[in-house]
Amino acid sequence: MLAGTDRVVLTTCPRDCYDACGVAVVVRDGAVRHVRGDRDHPVSRGRLCRKCSIAYNGVLLDRRLRLTQPLRRTGRKPEGRFEPVSWAEALPEIAARLREIEGRLVLNAHYTGTFSLLGYFFPLRFFNRLGATEVDPDTICNKAGHVALEYVYGTSLEGFDPRTARDSRCILVWGANPSASAPHAHEHWLPEAPAAVVVVDPVRTETAAAADLHLQPFPGSDAALAFALLHVLVRDRLVDEEFVARHTLGWDELEPAVAACPPEWGEHVTGVPAALIEQAAQMYGVGPSLLWIGQGLQRQRTGGNVVRACALLPAVTGNLGKPGAGFLYLNGTGSRGVDEDYLAASHLATHAPPPISHMDLAATLEDPDRSRALFCWNINIAASNPEQRRLREALAREDLLTIAVDMFATDTTDLADYVLPAASFLESDDLVVSYFHQTLSAQVRAVDPMGQSLPNTEIFRRLARAMDYDEPELYERDEDVIATVLARSGTGLDFPALATRGTVPVSAEPLLQFPELRFPTPSGKIELASDRAAADGLPRHPLPLADPRPEAGRLRLLSPASAWLLNDSFANDAKIARRIGHATVALHPDDASERGLAEGDLALLSNQTGTLRLTVTVSDAVPRGVAYSPKGRWPRREPGGGNVNALNPGERADMGESTSVHGVEVRVAPASPPS
């Protein structure tokens, strides 16, 4: 019920998920009363996902937990003691220290704590001018898949339009769990599509359980499964030979490998029954079909090869360039007319050093010859990164100038020299581009920033001024950047008009993926076999590989998204903390029994990187040989001071210097409670 003094502000959630929900914010006397889903928004339909709904009405509005003024460290880093200072004190002090450091020795670590366009891209203008070394953000998440799809299709950022599902007969969801990472797609898009839904996932997630068919391969065997599916497509004459001949290169090189992978072989290697492999291939092959490639799929040792193998399916069956067909990894900004080079002022990076991988971050921070300063913004590396103990020790270097920009005190801010308070998405105007839906949305400021917190854009404008930089791009106002982006978008809307409508599709009808069947590869065709891959030291075409099963006594550790956390956002919300309870590891009943473990017992997980105590839950939704423990907890809030990344050695996938976190193996044994 609205009071007479209430006003409602419609805005858009910019969190790092597929949905980009419409948000209705009720404001009274300059303060947010509550945050709900926008009833008229096509995605949220009046309801936010449960984690955002709780956090946006909880921790995001809690002045006791929000950072509301700059902080400067006092004492030694591991002590985590700070004193409040003004912006006028903090920024000149930071600038004075930065001037003494060569730009390449300043590391820029960031990701998608907010995924609004200005909040994500505008700070890069400062780092491009500074000449800092970027810690490649996608290496902690999805880089192997990007590289793989670029080899095959020339791009990983042009996916199907979800609206085209109305013309599909099959939707194949491979390695994605919408029930946790895209709740509205799980609740609305998939059930309402006329297509049959096939899910490929080692775990019986809510989305998998609701599917028409669930294939449950052992982790690391996805490429082998893809080849077994291809074998059935060839055998049952479901290959679009005309499409393959006109629009692909390299099928002749792949055919012998496909011929050697019948479904019986696929069952032996993957654990998926041959009959289900045949059924899935026939459902997909008849088409038109959609393939949703999840980002978690490629976080494996051979994750790039896995994605290349899965990406063969649309090409071989001709499921491109027509209604109801296509594949999706991410929909980038290009279809919305967004110029990322303009947003980031890429031309300022005249002497940009090569980026480094997050897999190398701990080692780089240990070395004063490679790192003298670190910026962390939109990211909490002490929770999200591999080699957790080693990284924390590196962050404790007293000679490493560390600046953290955040809304909350985190494990990373605990080890900073300066902490700069960031505003929330409710406190700044911006634009949001969904990486699932082909839409452009307004993020509308509902209230003023809390305390002295500032939007990312203003923080880095002030830093640029403190550094005495004179490039005008560093000082462009938010409203001018937004106006420029909208003018180039082709929507014909200015920001007030977009704010009134909230979210607009880029076209009245669903977009076709590659409508002219021309591909941004060197040949202009789909490169099933790739000269570029060969030049990079990789096989010319994907291979039917499967990782070796864990050695006796070990389990494959999967740490996917939690239904209650968004990466590591919201872990500090008290209500969410109560909902998720103790950190758990799910084991198959037989694996638990073999180790003398039962529901509620305390287990010790260990490997060469670290140890972790977790509470056991027993579930047949997890296959034998797998331990399942969702990511996202903050070490500072856990009894042992660590989360699942304490077990992550930071090994690379086969492409893109990317994470292979789902390839981690552990031993699991009964544990006594810590003293």
Side-chain angles (χ1 to χ4, degrees):
M1 182 72 67
L2 296 179
T5 57
D6 291 348
R7 62 186 179 92
V8 179
V9 179
L10 300 181
T11 185
T12 305
C13 174
R15 305 308 302 188
D16 183 17
C17 75
Y18 292 90
D19 290 335
C21 293
V23 179
V25 186
V26 176
V27 179
R28 181 184 301 170
D29 299 328
V32 175
R33 299 292 295 173
H34 58 76
V35 181
R36 301 286 188 267
D38 177 359
R39 288 179 295 180
D40 297 322
H41 193 271
V43 174
S44 53
R45 304 186 189 183
R47 194 170 70 84
L48 299 177
C49 72
R50 53 190 178 183
K51 48 193 164 188
C52 288
S53 180
I54 293 172
Y56 291 169
N57 290 283
V59 68
L60 200 71
L61 307 181
D62 192 336
R63 284 183 171 270
R64 299 166 300 174
L65 295 179
R66 285 281 300 275
L67 294 171
T68 58
Q69 60 188 118
L71 302 175
R72 178 174 57 204
R73 178 170 61 89
T74 60
R76 298 182 61 80
K77 282 190 176 178
E79 298 170 1
R81 292 189 287 114
F82 296 88
E83 62 182 357
V85 293
S86 66
W87 286 101
E89 292 174 282
L91 296 180
E93 292 176 11
I94 293 170
R97 295 184 64 177
L98 284 176
R99 290 191 194 97
E100 299 174 354
I101 301 172
E102 187 179 351
R104 67 177 181 85
L105 299 178
V106 180
L107 302 188
N108 164 28
H110 67 102
Y111 204 39
T112 51
T114 177
F115 210 35
S116 47
L117 290 181
L118 276 68
Y120 181 85
F121 285 105
F122 188 90
L124 298 178
R125 297 184 177 192
F126 174 82
F127 293 106
N128 285 332
R129 170 61 179 85
L130 182 64
T133 296
E134 183 176 45
V135 186
D136 186 335
D138 285 338
T139 57
I140 199 67
C141 183
N142 54 23
K143 189 64 176 286
H146 284 305
V147 174
L149 290 168
E150 286 164 7
Y151 285 140
V152 181
Y153 291 99
T155 178
S156 58
L157 297 174
E158 185 174 341
F160 63 68
D161 185 333
R163 294 176 295 173
T164 202
R166 70 190 190 190
D167 295 307
S168 297
R169 294 184 64 180
C170 177
I171 298 175
L172 174 55
V173 181
W174 200 320
N177 178 14
S179 64
S181 58
H184 295 289
H186 168 74
E187 294 168 5
H188 304 310
W189 183 71
L190 285 171
E192 293 171 4
V197 176
V198 180
V199 170
V200 181
D201 197 305
V203 178
R204 191 173 67 249
T205 65
E206 290 183 40
T207 298
D212 296 282
L213 183 63
H214 176 207
L215 307 187
Q216 212 168 349
F218 193 83
S221 67
D222 299 272
L225 178 59
F227 272 78
L229 292 169
L230 288 165
H231 182 100
V232 177
L233 293 171
V234 172
R235 185 197 70 187
D236 294 354
R237 302 191 178 193
L238 293 171
V239 172
D240 188 333
E241 295 181 359
E242 180 182 356
F243 185 95
V244 169
R246 294 184 60 184
H247 301 296
T248 76
L249 292 177
W251 177 236
D252 56 327
E253 297 180 46
L254 275 159
E255 283 184 299
V258 171
C261 300
E264 295 76 17
W265 170 88
E267 177 174 350
H268 174 73
V269 174
T270 70
V272 178
L276 296 186
I277 294 174
E278 292 178 322
Q279 185 180 354
Q282 290 157 358
M283 292 169 68
Y284 179 85
V286 171
S289 296
L290 299 175
L291 170 63
W292 182 351
I293 301 173
Q295 295 173 56
L297 177 63
Q298 46 81 66
R299 296 174 192 149
Q300 306 187 56
R301 299 165 187 162
T302 56
N305 180 72
V306 165
V307 172
R308 284 180 82 188
C310 294
L312 300 174
L313 294 172
V316 169
T317 56
N319 269 301
L320 292 162
K322 60 186 180 183
F327 70 89
L328 182 138
Y329 189 56
L330 291 176
N331 274 321
T333 58
S335 62
R336 274 58 69 94
V338 174
D339 185 346
E340 293 183 4
D341 286 331
Y342 158 71
L343 282 169
S346 300
H347 63 281
L348 296 179
T350 54
H351 302 289
I356 68 167
S357 170
H358 274 280
M359 305 308 103
D360 292 323
L361 183 56
T364 303
L365 290 176
E366 288 173 341
D367 186 354
D369 292 331
R370 299 171 64 193
S371 59
R372 296 280 306 283
L374 168 69
F375 273 85
C376 288
W377 54 284
N378 285 3
I379 196 169
N380 179 9
I381 59 172
S384 62
N385 274 51
E387 298 186 290
Q388 194 165 85
R389 180 182 298 175
R390 183 183 182 189
L391 178 64
R392 184 175 181 86
E393 291 172 353
L395 288 170
R397 272 178 48 199
E398 292 294 334
D399 63 334
L400 178 72
L401 171 63
T402 301
I403 299 97
V405 179
D406 212 303
M407 290 190 292
F408 305 103
T410 69
D411 293 274
T412 302
T413 67
D414 287 347
L415 291 162
D417 293 280
Y418 293 88
V419 180
L420 305 181
S424 79
F425 82 98
L426 300 177
E427 300 159 359
S428 63
D429 290 335
D430 212 318
L431 298 170
V432 177
V433 173
S434 166
Y435 56 73
F436 189 63
H437 304 281
Q438 294 281 15
T439 55
L440 183 64
S441 305
Q443 176 186 302
V444 181
R445 186 175 71 176
V447 292
D448 292 334
M450 192 174 290
Q452 298 176 39
S453 65
L454 296 171
N456 285 359
T457 49
E458 181 60 20
I459 291 173
F460 285 95
R461 273 192 287 266
R462 294 189 182 190
L463 273 168
R465 192 169 293 112
M467 293 289 289
D468 296 323
Y469 291 154
D470 56 12
E471 288 79 3
E473 299 91 333
L474 300 172
Y475 305 105
E476 194 172 5
R477 299 182 308 165
D478 289 357
E479 53 264 44
D480 294 333
V481 177
I482 291 171
T484 299
V485 172
L486 288 177
R488 297 177 180 180
S489 71
T491 61
L493 301 174
D494 60 12
F495 189 70
L498 179 61
T500 298
R501 296 181 59 180
T503 291
V504 296
V506 296
S507 63
E509 292 296 317
L511 297 177
L512 296 183
Q513 187 180 19
F514 306 117
E516 299 176 357
L517 296 178
R518 291 200 295 266
F519 304 89
T521 58
S523 65
K525 296 185 176 184
I526 303 168
E527 298 190 352
L528 308 180
S530 168
D531 289 337
R532 289 183 298 160
D536 291 339
L538 296 164
R540 278 180 47 79
H541 59 74
L543 300 173
L545 302 179
D547 293 346
R549 296 293 177 101
E551 296 178 7
R554 294 192 175 202
L555 300 175
R556 184 88 170 231
L557 176 64
L558 299 183
S559 52
S562 165
W564 291 103
L565 302 173
L566 209 163
N567 296 323
D568 58 42
S569 293
F570 311 153
N572 60 332
D573 185 277
K575 188 173 181 180
I576 286 178
R578 289 194 298 270
R579 291 291 183 98
I580 61 177
H582 297 297
T584 62
V585 57
L587 304 175
H588 186 275
D590 293 341
D591 286 325
S593 177
E594 285 180 359
R595 289 160 177 78
L597 292 166
E599 185 79 20
D601 286 351
L602 194 64
L604 180 69
L605 281 66
S606 62
N607 61 13
Q608 73 279 14
T609 304
T611 60
L612 192 66
R613 285 179 168 84
L614 299 174
T615 301
V616 172
T617 182
V618 179
S619 172
D620 62 4
V622 178
R624 286 218 65 180
V626 168
Y628 177 93
S629 185
K631 65 180 178 179
R633 292 172 177 269
W634 290 7
R636 74 200 304 259
R637 297 178 60 86
E638 296 302 306
N643 66 14
V644 72
N645 277 311
L647 301 163
N648 181 1
E651 294 176 353
R652 291 169 174 75
D654 54 346
M655 297 179 192
E657 299 290 303
S658 193
T659 179
S660 64
V661 63
H662 293 329
V664 173
E665 294 182 5
V666 294
R667 295 187 181 277
V668 181
S672 57
S675 59

